[in-house]
Amino acid sequence: MALWLDYLRRAPLVVFLLLYTVITGGPFLWVAAMALRTTPEILDNPYALPIPPHWDKFVEAWTTSRYEIYFFNSLIVVAGAVVLVTLIGAMAAHCLSRYRFRGNRLARMIILSGMILPPQLMILSLFQILLQFGLYNTLAGLTLAYVATQLAMTVYILEGFFAQLPQDLFDAARMDGYSDFEIFWRITLPIGLPAVFTTVVLNFIILWNEFLYAIVLITEDDKRTLPLGIMHFMGSHQLDVGMIATGLMISMSPIIVLYALFSETLIKGMTAGAVR
Amino acid sequence: MAVVTLERLSKRYDGAGEPAVKEVSLSVADGEFMVLLGPSGCGKSSVLRMIAGLESISAGTVSIDGRVMNHVPAKDRDIAMVFQSYALYPHMTVRENLAFGLRRRSVATAEIDRRVQNVAGKLALTPFLGRKPHALSGGQRQRVALGRAIVRDPKVFLFDEPLSNLDAALRTTTRNELIKQQHELGTTTIYVTHDQIEAMTMGDRICIMNRGELVQIGSPLEVYRKPADTFVARFLGSPPMNLMEARLERSGDAFAVQTAGISIPVITIPPQRLAPYAGKPLIHGIRPEDLYEMPPNELAGRSVQLPARILAVEPLGAETLLVLATKASNEELIARIGRETALRSGSEVMISLDTGAIHLFDRDTGKAIAEPP
């Protein structure tokens, strides 16, 4: 067949992919460019390239704008929540997929119903509960709220994966003398690592960008997380566009690094259940 | 070293109408190789899993050395099991797989190393100790699974169809290897299979199950020669026993079976067992190897001639199978004859039948009519 016909056949796909890339990658590149330009430069010409690049803006954002505080708050809350939700979620998924006990369907339904409810629905009651337990306006409270919101999805992904592990493995470990918890720790977790990893990365990305709960449940500036910190630059009288862009880039960097390093594992874990 | 005793062991799964296992009682002697044989779904695996402690017991007891095990957790029963899927831990090397059970039992590290090396040597696994299961062939995985059981030196071995994932050639060699290991170790073994050749060649005794019930226990040849009912008669032997409609006739003190237009004198079953069936229909069974193209000399005076038409001739190399239809009743029979034969399908033939080898079964219950045990 003629080569040009082959190209022609692929043309619609290429056009589509190009468009998609421009739409998704365009705004990102624009912000990345603005992050290296000063606000007057941007106001002068919003679409110009960062020549010369102002790398010092990152230092300025980090030091003068309390970004380090927000960054570490985010790190503590998100890392804590991810560790907790992974552990609790994996244990729940292990039990739901391995044991037949009275009410296991009900338990699964209740946990998974958390995925259906929009977060706005829970915010009032969550606020009230945290207030009562003295957890309102604390990093611990926000961490727990994050664990609760992400548990459903975590259990959902992990249970699907764990349920596919052959029962014989678990029976063999029982015959080898291992207790239920040891079986979870030494068999389910290591073998389910790709799926566990997927939930870790997904939860990290979702929580790192979380805004709604953070703004409702945290009032003190010292306890704010990164998404709130970016708001800091939006004063009531003026808008420091250049600094916001720099802040956004700092905020995004961990996610970009995470994704660049682990995107392949992430996709493998997400599709593991589907293809086998 | 252990005696395993099952008493009226039953299993009913939640939501199932019929129990999967119905009051199975049997005793496995110390060092014995007992095979549980039956078609799939007959409950043999459920029995094994109840002995292992992986499945709860609905009724009855499992005891080892006289101690009731019903409520003893699997890990405390000192039983090792080899699974059909091998169930090797995919994230561990062969060495770790072998050592996993020992480590839990707080065996000293040096002792674990010694035992792992020993078993690996015995099963020719030494070169693969550092590999993970996915980098092994089917036969090697099977040996690791076996090694994992042996290395623990348990009281009882349980095998759940361990050879069914191997190809035919490997199955034969692994079978022999397994028998050798069991004889050397002398560990009480319960082996589940649906493969009658495995059962016949490996078991000291065979326990045949059907629909959750124990049908017959005995040595392989005993069960083969004296099947307790038509199920066992058809299940053991390949091709299976030929079963035909028949009627028992009495003349004086002698009995004869009327079947397929011929009369076969009954010489192997005592008259007092036959008397209640006189004049009644029953089922007559004859194994394919007890039908002859030409009766050998030692059969002189003991054979009768059965007229039949040959439907097919199937040469298997070492022997030839004839698929026959009896002339009088058009019932299908299979005969196993010598490898050289001039018979062709479509032709008619007089097949000789060894009257000393016939089996009779009750037509209603399927139970064998035989001399009392």
Side-chain angles (χ1 to χ4, degrees), chain B residues 37-302:
Chain B
L37 177 67
S40 52
C42 74
K44 56 194 192 299
S45 285
S46 296
V47 169
L48 200 72
R49 291 174 62 83
M50 282 191 277
I51 298 171
L54 296 171
E55 206 75 70
S56 65
I57 293 167
S58 304
T61 57
V62 169
S63 21
I64 298 176
D65 285 338
R67 187 177 161 217
V68 175
M69 288 287 159
N70 285 31
H71 298 290
V72 176
K75 64 190 172 80
D76 299 326
R77 294 191 187 191
D78 200 9
I79 292 174
M81 184 158 167
V82 176
F83 295 85
Q84 182 178 1
S85 65
Y86 313 145
L88 301 181
Y89 310 120
H91 57 302
M92 298 183 196
T93 61
V94 170
R95 185 193 306 279
E96 289 164 335
N97 263 285
L98 292 174
F100 194 63
L102 293 175
R103 233 180 258 153
R104 184 65 187 80
R105 289 179 157 73
S106 48
V107 179
T109 317
E111 170 70 5
I112 292 179
D113 275 353
R114 195 188 62 74
R115 277 160 79 167
V116 167
Q117 286 296 343
N118 185 14
V119 166
K122 226 188 249 183
L123 296 173
L125 288 170
T126 314
F128 312 113
L129 279 174
R131 288 207 199 162
K132 296 227 171 125
H134 66 82
L136 298 177
S137 71
Q140 290 161 350
R141 283 180 209 179
Q142 213 286 332
R143 295 210 297 279
V144 177
L146 179 61
R148 202 168 57 178
I150 292 175
V151 79
R152 275 189 30 211
D153 191 19
K155 276 187 178 172
V156 181
F157 282 144
L158 303 180
F159 291 94
D160 191 1
E161 313 215 5
L163 304 183
S164 52
N165 286 351
L166 299 178
D167 61 57
L170 205 52
R171 202 177 300 171
T172 312
T173 52
T174 314
R175 198 170 71 209
N176 296 333
E177 173 70 20
L178 235 158
I179 297 171
K180 195 184 100 195
Q181 294 292 344
Q182 200 269 343
H183 279 260
E184 272 174 28
L185 298 164
T187 308
T188 310
T189 301
I190 303 174
Y191 186 104
V192 160
T193 183
H194 64 262
D195 183 322
Q196 48 157 321
I197 295 176
E198 279 174 31
M200 296 292 290
T201 52
M202 299 177 92
D204 292 327
R205 282 195 296 160
I206 300 179
C207 164
I208 298 176
M209 292 186 64
N210 186 29
R211 296 180 186 184
E213 283 177 283
L214 195 161
V215 184
Q216 189 174 10
I217 302 185
S219 73
L221 285 181
E222 194 181 315
V223 176
Y224 185 80
R225 286 183 184 146
K226 296 177 181 168
D229 63 11
T230 50
F231 168 77
V232 178
R234 297 280 302 176
F235 194 72
L236 273 189
S238 174
M241 185 186 283
N242 298 299
L243 298 179
M244 291 181 284
E245 296 286 341
R247 175 177 288 277
L248 191 66
E249 299 297 349
R250 179 175 200 157
S251 60
D253 276 349
F255 288 89
V257 176
Q258 306 292 328
T259 184
I262 60 165
S263 177
I264 309 166
V266 184
I267 55 173
T268 51
I269 302 165
Q272 63 269 27
R273 289 282 288 137
L274 292 172
Y277 294 94
K280 288 185 185 161
L282 39 65
I283 291 169
H284 159 247
I286 184 88
R287 291 224 176 259
E289 61 266 36
D290 295 321
L291 296 171
Y292 299 89
E293 181 184 359
M294 300 286 259
N297 289 336
E298 61 265 29
L299 226 65
R302 235 174 63 195

Side-chain angles (χ1 to χ4, degrees), chain A residues 195-225:
Chain A
V196 171
F197 196 79
T198 302
T199 61
V200 166
V201 174
L202 271 183
N203 282 330
F204 194 92
I205 293 172
I206 292 169
L207 294 179
W208 190 261
N209 296 325
E210 208 286 332
F211 183 78
L212 178 68
Y213 283 15
I215 199 168
V216 176
L217 301 177
I218 297 289
T219 50
E220 224 169 298
D221 190 45
D222 279 352
K223 293 177 183 164
R224 288 203 172 126
T225 54

